[in-house]
Amino acid sequence: RKKKSSIKQMYGVCQIIYLITIIMTVILFILGMSYAPRLPEYNVCTNQMAWKSIIEGMASLKVSASFDLLISVYNPNRFEVDLKNGAGQFHYDGEYVGSFEIPEAKISEEAISDFVVKVTFTPDKWQALSLTTEYYSGTLRFIVGGHTHVSVPAFGNYSFEAKFDDIEVNPSDPDLDDTHLCACP
């Protein structure tokens, strides 16, 4: 019986290592893609009723109004996300007209989570009249900006500050009527 040469043995070992490397690469790719972060979806569930009530309050010359917005968020990721210390502001024609607070909330993995955002509008009387007029004509637009502290417990409480600026919100936009994530009709 002939003994295999050391070069053939080394070649066989290299082939095995090559196959193991390919298999591990495929496994890591699949795991990486299944755990890759994806953007959450959200719906404002009390949108139309809230905007209408605030505008009706302003039309009766109540200059300050507060209401709660129910937000439903679908987290498609495989890890929970925690929100803390969130706040923001509404601007109309470059002027401050209101604020909102995002409460501490846990957004569960691969599930829909709900939380309530407190919104307060405090325009002056002329802004209130202008807001009311534009709302009923369908041309009302706000510029929204804010921030919230986000942490991910699954990644050793990795945290960061999420900021959003210069987002245009049109209360009459039919896209805001999408409530497919909301539990209520």
Side-chain angles (χ1 to χ4, degrees):
R1 224 175 171 202
K2 275 189 168 181
K3 201 174 179 187
K4 280 188 177 178
S5 73
S6 59
I7 292 180
K8 285 187 178 184
Q9 287 177 343
M10 192 165 50
Y11 179 71
V13 169
C14 286
Q15 283 182 323
I16 291 172
I17 291 173
Y18 178 72
L19 285 174
I20 289 172
T21 303
I22 288 177
I23 291 170
M24 290 301 293
T25 302
V26 169
I27 290 171
L28 287 174
F29 176 77
I30 290 170
L31 283 174
M33 291 308 291
S34 66
Y35 283 92
R38 290 172 285 228
L39 288 174
E41 291 181 52
Y42 67 93
N43 286 146
V44 179
C45 299
T46 54
N47 184 37
Q48 203 60 286
M49 180 179 69
W51 287 116
K52 188 170 173 127
S53 68
I54 199 165
I55 296 300
E56 285 173 355
M58 285 183 204
S60 65
L61 294 179
K62 250 195 213 176
V63 180
S64 178
S66 294
F67 61 96
D68 295 334
L69 284 179
L70 177 63
I71 309 289
S72 292
V73 178
Y74 171 64
N75 180 5
N77 298 298
R78 296 176 184 256
F79 42 85
E80 179 180 276
V81 175
D82 296 338
L83 302 178
K84 295 177 186 155
N85 304 325
Q89 297 181 343
F90 288 92
H91 292 272
Y92 170 74
D93 280 344
E95 298 289 323
Y96 169 86
V97 290
S99 64
F100 60 92
E101 293 178 22
I102 302 171
E104 287 191 16
K106 290 189 182 300
I107 301 176
S108 302
E109 69 275 1
E110 298 180 325
I112 297 173
S113 301
D114 297 324
F115 58 94
V116 176
V117 174
K118 303 269 186 209
V119 178
T120 303
F121 275 88
T122 54
D124 65 32
K125 62 183 172 182
W126 300 114
Q127 286 176 326
L129 287 171
S130 183
L131 289 168
T132 304
T133 304
E134 287 193 26
Y135 176 78
Y136 285 117
S137 69
T139 60
L140 178 60
R141 298 216 181 338
F142 292 108
I143 300 298
V144 178
H147 65 88
T148 189
H149 183 79
V150 179
S151 65
V152 184
F155 296 149
N157 275 335
Y158 171 73
S159 60
F160 60 94
E161 194 74 19
K163 293 184 180 185
F164 47 96
D165 291 317
D166 300 329
I167 297 174
E168 187 175 293
V169 175
N170 175 359
S172 302
D173 187 358
D175 290 342
L176 291 178
D177 293 337
D178 177 16
T179 58
H180 73 278
L181 297 176
C182 303
C184 56

